[in-house]
Amino acid sequence: MPGVAVASDTVTNGALVPFSDDGTRDSLPIYPLNHGLAAPISRLAISWSRGNSLRVSLFSAEPSSGSPGAAQSGVGGKVVEVKLGGGDPEITDAHLRRIAYGSVPPFALLQSRRSELSVLSKAPSMATTYHIDWWEHVLEYSKEITSLLGGPKSPPNAIIEDPGEIVKTGEDPTCLKAAWELMEIFYADKQSQAWLPERLVDWLADYDSLFSSTQETIHSKLVDFQKELVNIQVIEDDARYWEVMSSALSVGWLDIVVKMLRLHGSYQLDQLSNRELENGLVEALAVLISKMPRNRPESPAGKLGECFKSKPDFTKAWERWRSQITKLDCSPFWIQCDNHQTREGLKNMLQIMLGKTENLCMATCFWLELYVSHFLYIRPFTMGIESMYNLAQKCIQLKPSSRTHRLTGLMIGIIGENTEVVLAECSREFGPWMVAHATELLTAGSEQAEILLHDERFNLGGISIVELHRLAYAQVLSSHALTWQIAPIYLTSCMKQGMGLLENLLYRQSVQHNDMLLKNIEICRLYELDHISSNIMKVAGVYHWKHGRKGAGVFWLQQAQDATRLNRIAQQLFDSVGKSISDESFKQWEGVIELLGSESKLAGGLEFLHKYRDFKKSLQQLSSGKSTDAARQATGSLILLMKNPSTPQRFWLPLLFDSLKLLNWHDCPLLNVSETNLLLNKLQELSLARLRPHFIKPNLPPEAISSIRLALATNLGRAILDE
Amino acid sequence: MQTWAKKNLLKTLTMAVLSERQGIHRLPQHKYVDAVRWLPPLSAFDRFAVLALFDSDSDSDSYSIEIHSLQQNPLSLHPLSSWTSPSRISSLKTSQFLQKTIIAASTFSGSLHFLFSNSSDASLESEVSVPEGALHSVPVSCVDLMDGGGECVTVGEDGKVNLVSVGNSTLNYRRLFDSSGLVSYTAAKWASPVEFATGGYGFGLQWWDQRKPGGPVSQFKGNRDQKLTSGIVHSIDIHPSRKHTCLAGGSLGTVFAWDLRWQQQPIILSGAGAGAGNTAVQSISESEVWEVQYDRCMKSNTSSTRILPAMICSEDGILAVIEKGEEPIELLAEPCAINSFDIDRNNPLDVICSLEWEAVAILTRQ
């Protein structure tokens, strides 16, 4: 944020207050800090923490030497986390995560379909079908997302309907869902383009209650009236009854209106006889309302109104309906109706149905309701989006409101066919999840929008707007411990910078716990990032090694095929093996040696351990029996070990010392001349190495060297004689 | 992207078929579910599940073990009682002992906790614990409670094997073995009151006998020549009627059985590494198999050489029953990982499992 600084004096009050010059003070959020430090604060550091929170480190001032009391109370500092707002007030973090999880499969499916189609569309014959089918895929995607955003619109109908219940209060709708559906209506659902106004009527019926947060709405009027209903004795004498009814009629909530009309006192059995005429008028209106022609393929089951799919049919029906209304309006019965309230109320409703602007204006609460009433009664034949923007402007002028609702901005952007505004509103009001997913709807909407959003931009570092928003959303996911695993799906759909960020994300994960490490490696496997997984395994190997878990360290380094590090740790391992060389505790090394397996290529310098174990084993067998064959085998392994360049020099002497028994084998010499010479040479090399500074003295009796030399010399003599 | 989507497109299609056939209920928890178990039944009508949860929404991360009661129509879980854990739960087991239900839980910080629940309403009554550092210095990889007994074995990556006996309100523990980090253990399972098996890196399995301290009695190491690529064992199961056979599941979709009588010849039931040149083995998953359990409801022919059918859950979202030489039966195919599952002992048709995306799924097989 430019122009935001921290005033040092505010810190002492324990609050962190951002301020700027332009006087928009009330729009700036203030976050109090509960740091509990008594001493004045001398230093302050702020950094980003996990997710949408800031980590604030506070350091209190050094207490002056004269006040020892201060030294005890709250000296030092404290680190506090401040969770920044900006989340959706209607939706909890946990619910938002659920939406994030649920939107992964539809998003991934749509992306894979896109790539499949882009392959197909390269063949010229397929190019035409591509555009026809694409919006259907997007619509399917959109429907799945909608189902995530909330349950069914209305609760299942109760078997016994409450006659006093006018408005159904089911699950509270959310603005997020309303916004998504609005975008679906305008961009994804090409089939309903012909009856766009009717879709808007339905949309408002579902979500009018949302606008109650900023202003009075017809929904809120209805709810208030319903609460009063039990206290009203004679309903038709109440002015609010007529007012609420005409309001509901103006936005086309026909069911509610008819239901309310039937609450009219003239329907009561004891009054039916003397209010026959009045009741006839009420019923006539109710019938007319329930027969209102609508230009749409179908209504939800049980809804009133007659649906006409084709335009000519609708026009014919509309004209007939209007003429019936006019006829009723001019009927002589009105004069005979002696109930003033009923007469005026019904007349007003007739005017609404005849599309009188003043009556509609009176009946509706804010511009969107007026807008919808225009489609219903003044311009029933509106097609397409062209004229809709001008009408909206007109309605806003007729019903100006002081506060704008967050859905209003989005609505105006959509009607104004301004993609940038729609994007900006989505981003500002509904957050990164919305933008990242709604761009799919926007690009399906028009070719222009697609070009705008997919165009690579220099000022964005060469990426497109779509990619920018996906990256932003992926960053949000990455910053949370539970959602980082789904970030790769969005990152890999970003052509330019996605893979780089994915690598960063994978490297950043902790290797401490096996489960998380393995989940990380699994993602690498899924996206064929072998070099990254091998690096992660190396990190894990070194981590475990450093923390004393030698077996785990060796395993991960082996998995990473990291010969360099295996050789390094082999040297360290030999140090500890060397100490316990003559011990029986060599048994405890069995586990690691088993782990190394027989494949020497993966073990690095550690293969020595394996051979060494085998040698030890054959020596042990020797001590039990006296078979020359076993002795020959052991000698074979000894020679192999001594010949092998990977056998560390420090093991030469202990090896030879251990095999004294073999060298002095009494039945026959086990080593031939050249083998004995090899061992003698090694012994010579060792004596020279003794003089070097880094020589590690083996833990053997001092006469070891001389006894080996003697044994070798004896063996050499016997071998020469044999040959 | 493409691989992921294709895999999941297939999953969505199969799930549509599967969901119709079986009762599958996904219940969102709004918290990460580290582990899930059925509680041994207290009465014929009430059923309870234990969940180890990790809540990231509160200011500081909080960990808890919650007992939920299962309600029908619609099927749902209702929290009954909760216990706050000092650290994240790494392993969770339940058992019945002395007319009480014991829940054993180990944590990432190395501590071990026993919770006792009331036998009438499943509410948590008391807790005894072994503090961190006493048993393990690092996360306890696995705990296992002896069936109907108070003996508990704990193993860790630090290479320590401990035995803890739970009395009415007392705890005794002793270290059976310490490899000083040379060998790490990641799984454990009792075979008999004195014997148990452990698993670890390199598909290694160890067989232990309390009467013979100083090291494992027997060891198995999966080698390449046995058609097992290297990986980690995540879970072991031993069937009470086949104490000589140890069923293990781990990396690369590997599930194998180790028969103590034919020590160096594992019977491979599934595994990516096994696929090459070994077409007899079906591989249902290619990623980590987090848990294996013998499927208690399958009535197979009971020849003693045959390996009983096993249920597995995996990182790539599969819950399936596999059997040697048979086509695997897929019960669930989720777009996210299935981290643990448990088969109800008294009603083996019911399976509960924890999903990566903060949810629990309950399956009723027909």
Side-chain angles (χ1 to χ4, degrees), chain A residues 421 501 587:
Chain A
V421 172
L501 285 169
K587 205 183 167 192

Side-chain angles (χ1 to χ4, degrees), chain A residues 83 97 101 104 108-109 112 480 485 489 513-514 518-519 522 525 527 544 549-551 555 588 592 594, chain B residues 1 4-5 9 56-57 61 108 138-139 157 181-183 201 221 234 286-287 315 339 356-358:
Chain A
K83 216 170 221 174
R97 281 204 304 279
Y101 296 138
V104 168
L109 186 61
S112 91
H480 195 281
Q485 282 189 63
I489 293 161
H513 300 300
N514 256 342
L518 289 166
K519 281 174 193 288
E522 170 75 5
R525 191 180 67 88
Y527 297 109
H544 284 295
R549 298 188 283 280
K550 299 190 176 66
F555 173 81
Q588 77 175 85
V592 177
E594 280 293 326
Chain B
M1 163 58 58
W4 195 93
L9 176 61
S56 69
D57 279 339
D61 294 341
F108 273 24
V138 293
E157 296 228 348
L182 287 171
V183 182
Y201 287 87
K221 161 73 175 74
H234 296 309
E286 291 172 2
S287 57
E315 175 65 22
N339 290 325
E356 182 79 17
W357 289 347
E358 299 175 56

Side-chain angles (χ1 to χ4, degrees), chain B residues 157-178:
Chain B
E157 296 228 348
D158 53 1
K160 296 187 173 84
V161 179
N162 298 295
L163 292 171
V164 185
S165 41
V166 196
N168 240 335
S169 58
T170 53
L171 276 185
N172 290 310
Y173 51 92
R174 66 188 173 98
R175 179 152 302 149
L176 190 73
F177 184 70
D178 186 354

Side-chain angles (χ1 to χ4, degrees), chain A residues 578-629:
Chain A
K579 276 175 208 141
S580 57
I581 187 118
S582 46
D583 281 347
E584 269 307 293
S585 67
F586 192 73
K587 205 183 167 192
Q588 77 175 85
W589 290 89
E590 282 283 304
V592 177
I593 292 163
E594 280 293 326
L595 191 64
L596 293 171
S598 48
E599 319 100 80
S600 53
K601 124 173 156 284
L602 281 175
L606 289 173
E607 64 170 309
F608 159 72
L609 273 183
H610 208 271
K611 295 204 178 91
Y612 185 56
R613 197 263 316 250
D614 289 348
F615 173 65
K616 277 273 187 183
K617 261 192 185 161
S618 49
L619 272 188
Q620 264 170 12
Q621 279 169 355
L622 217 59
S623 58
S624 51
K626 295 231 171 222
S627 132
T628 307
D629 281 346

Side-chain angles (χ1 to χ4, degrees), chain A residues 252-313:
Chain A
W253 301 351
L254 307 182
D255 296 63
I256 291 174
V257 180
V258 171
K259 194 170 180 182
M260 283 182 80
L261 274 176
R262 302 254 155 89
L263 294 175
H264 194 272
S266 63
Y267 280 99
Q268 282 171 18
L269 286 173
D270 53 335
Q271 302 191 12
L272 207 54
S273 50
N274 48 6
R275 294 172 76 176
E276 202 175 352
L277 181 93
E278 191 184 343
N279 182 253
L281 283 170
V282 174
E283 183 57 27
L285 205 71
V287 169
L288 269 178
I289 288 170
S290 55
K291 290 235 160 25
M292 180 177 173
R294 309 283 293 257
N295 185 17
R296 57 195 294 162
E298 63 198 354
S299 287
K303 289 272 177 192
L304 298 174
E306 288 184 350
C307 301
F308 296 92
K309 201 174 176 180
S310 80
K311 197 109 209 184
D313 290 349

Side-chain angles (χ1 to χ4, degrees), chain A residues 530-581:
Chain A
D530 293 342
H531 62 289
I532 296 174
S533 67
S534 112
N535 281 345
I536 291 170
M537 288 175 193
K538 283 178 197 170
V539 175
V542 172
Y543 171 82
H544 284 295
W545 177 264
K546 277 188 172 170
H547 285 80
R549 298 188 283 280
K550 299 190 176 66
V554 168
F555 173 81
W556 285 118
L557 291 175
Q558 261 189 315
Q559 293 290 95
Q561 309 200 345
D562 186 352
T564 325
R565 274 180 196 82
L566 279 171
N567 280 331
R568 280 288 297 278
I569 65 168
Q571 298 309 316
Q572 290 185 32
L573 208 56
F574 295 153
D575 283 348
S576 20
V577 177
K579 276 175 208 141
S580 57
I581 187 118

